[in-house]
């Protein structure tokens, strides 16, 4: 019995080593194909597209920006368990096990091909990987068999050789697979490909530069987030498990649908336009009260309005469905793209070409609307249409068709559950109501009266506004601070709590902190 158990482990190991070779080979080869040609990228992507929205919301709540890593780790674990099972199957039924590998490989290839950003050729990494994995499984299973059939007690020298052969083969295959995986991952992330192209781009100066930021837009309270969010840690939210690799030389944007004339523009066409610069604070509808899925940047681009005018929008249209190369879509009310706000086809972010993660080469930026209905990254298409005729990615998954950004405010300093020294307690935070601006922020200590906070300088209605407040006679002990803002129209932020689903969170942000004894 113990003997059978031991040999079972050998076959499970064979399966796992073969799976690592499969994944490693496919991952390494995927660098020569679309990013989604790596099987786990496509399978994960398909999974994200079909799971019920609440699962995704729960994952974001649980893992935040690490949701993608969590998904990859889970998929990897599932693959290893599956592989161990197939290895066990190979002990008695080698053909059945190889057939299972083939079915899984072909099935995965089909998923790869079905993705929006891939073509049939992108199945090559998965198919070659499957072949390599199957060969390794067949070989290791044969070695494992030889070990099992040679009784360990007698014929000792031969058994020793077989044992060594198997262990070397299994360990070597597993190591090779892991090495290919690591090298393949390291080589991807578009380094050397699109990243070199991106770095070589020189963006033209804006014909209409943004006004310089007024002095004093940043609150002086230590520990506040920067007023302009650096590109490197600007929040990132999207359904793309690997960042799409889009070459600006072959990129084009097609504008079609309810228009007088279809137009198609290249990246160079866009750069040749008079470019407009605008400070716009972007916000995710999934941002919880007090959350940080919000960022402020200076964008450079071509007004969407200008291209829509050229195409000639039919009066019956009420929506523009923007589409990404990876299949994501957003539905934006047509007036948000044709009125005089700074809705842009953005090519630049804080003085650089768009970072790959933020939509290189071209994305949409629309002041006043949550990202899911407006901020399409890796943009490829604008379809002028009607809400009655088309719906977008998140609308199909239970979120509202329209997503104006709700008035919001948060406490950034002190941090939740911080201990602060006694004396004057400095507090600071951020408020936003894009398209309306912020006219007032008030804070309340414990159950005390609402006190006006000091507003930092105003950088415009589409930009967040920082505030500060000095609590002069802070008493030692545990306290809470609550914040509420008033927008430029005089509307006071509601205390009604709403979850992010279906159209954005609301409610006052409150944090707890402790003032230390003097
Ligand atoms: N192609 C694509 N564009 C997308 C998304 C996406 O999943 N895919 N997510 C949208 C959402 S929900 C938000 S909040 C913003 C976030 O933009 P950022 O990652 O640059 O902050 O991008 C939008 N554009
Ligand atoms: Mo979002």
């Amino acid at each position: 019995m113990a003997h059978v158990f031991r040999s079972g482990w050998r076959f499970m190991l064979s399966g796992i080593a073969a799976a690592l070779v499969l994944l490693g080979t496919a991952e390494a080869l995927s660098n020569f194909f679309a990013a989604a040609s790596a099987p786990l990228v496509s399978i994960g992507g398909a999974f994200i597209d079909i799971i019920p929205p609440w699962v995704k919301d729960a994952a974001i709540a649980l893992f935040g920006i690490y949701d993608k890593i969590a998904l990859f780790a889970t998929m990897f674990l599932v693959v290893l368990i599956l592989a161990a099972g197939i290895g066990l199957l190979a002990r008695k039924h080698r053909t059945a096990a190889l057939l299972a590998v083939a079915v899984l490989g072909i099935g995965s290839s089909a998923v790869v091909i079905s993705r929006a950003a891939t073509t049939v050729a992108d199945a090559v990494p998965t198919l070659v990987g499957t072949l390599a994995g199957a060969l390794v499984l067949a070989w290791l299973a044969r070695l494992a068999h030889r070990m099992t059939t040679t009784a360990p007690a007698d014929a000792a020298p031969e058994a020793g050789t077989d044992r060594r052969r198997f262990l070397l083969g299994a360990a070597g295959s597993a190591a090779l697979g892991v090495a290919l995986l690591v090298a393949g991952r390291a080589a991807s992330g578009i380094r050397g490909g699109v990243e070199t192209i991106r770095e070589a781009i020189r963006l033209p100066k804006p014909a209409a530069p943004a006004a310089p930021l007024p002095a004093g837009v940043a609150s002086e309270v230590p520990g506040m987030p920067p007023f302009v969010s650096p590109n490197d840690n600007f929040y990132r939210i999207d359904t793309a498990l690997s960042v799409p690799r889009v070459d600006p030389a072959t990129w084009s944007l097609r504008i079609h649908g309810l228009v007088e004339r279809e137009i198609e523009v290249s990246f160079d066409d866009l750069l040749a336009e008079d470019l407009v610069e605008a400070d716009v604070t972007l916000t995710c509808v999934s941002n919880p009260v007090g959350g940080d899925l919000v960022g402020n940047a200076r964008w450079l681009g071509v007004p969407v309005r200008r291209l829509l005018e050229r195409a000639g929008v039919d009066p019956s249209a009420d929506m523009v469905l923007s589409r990404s190369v990876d299949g994501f879509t957003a539905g934006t009310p047509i007036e948000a793209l044709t009125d005089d706000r700074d809705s842009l086809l953005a090519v630049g972010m804080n003085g650089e070409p768009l970072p790959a993660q933020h939509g290189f080469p071209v994305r949409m930026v629309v002041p006043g609307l949550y990202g899911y209905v407006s901020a399409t990254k890796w943009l490829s298409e604008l379809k002028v249409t009607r809400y009655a005729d088309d719906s977008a990615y998140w609308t199909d998954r239970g979120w509202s068709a329209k997503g104006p950004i709700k008035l919001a405010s948060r406490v950034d300093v002190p941090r939740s559950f911080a201990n602060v020294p006694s004396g004057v307690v400095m507090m600071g935070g951020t408020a936003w109501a894009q398209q309306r601006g912020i006219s007032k922020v008030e804070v309340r200590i414990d159950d005390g009266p609402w006190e006006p906070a000091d507003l930092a300088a105003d950088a415009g209605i589409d930009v967040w506004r920082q505030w500060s407040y000095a609590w002069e006679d802070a008493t030692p002990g545990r306290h809470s601070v609550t914040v509420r803002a008033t927008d430029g129209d005089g509307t006071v932020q509601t205390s009604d709590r709403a979850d992010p689903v279906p159209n954005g969170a609301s409610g006052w942000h409150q944090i707890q902190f402790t003032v230390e004894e003097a």
Side-chain angles (χ1 to χ4, degrees), residues 40 52 127 310 482:
L40 288 191
L127 290 176
R310 258 176 238 165
T482 312

Side-chain angles (χ1 to χ4, degrees), residues 204-224:
K205 294 257 168 297
L213 289 175
V217 287
S219 148
E220 266 154 30
V221 175
M224 281 291 290

Side-chain angles (χ1 to χ4, degrees), residues 234-239 284 324 328 358 363 375 377-378:
F234 199 95
Y235 85 95
R236 174 188 171 199
I237 288 287
D238 54 59
T239 60
C284 182
S324 159
F328 172 88
H358 297 290
R363 78 173 303 170
K377 304 190 271 191
W378 314 290

Side-chain angles (χ1 to χ4, degrees), residues 237 283-286 371-372:
I237 288 287
T283 312
C284 182
V285 69
S286 299
Y372 83 109

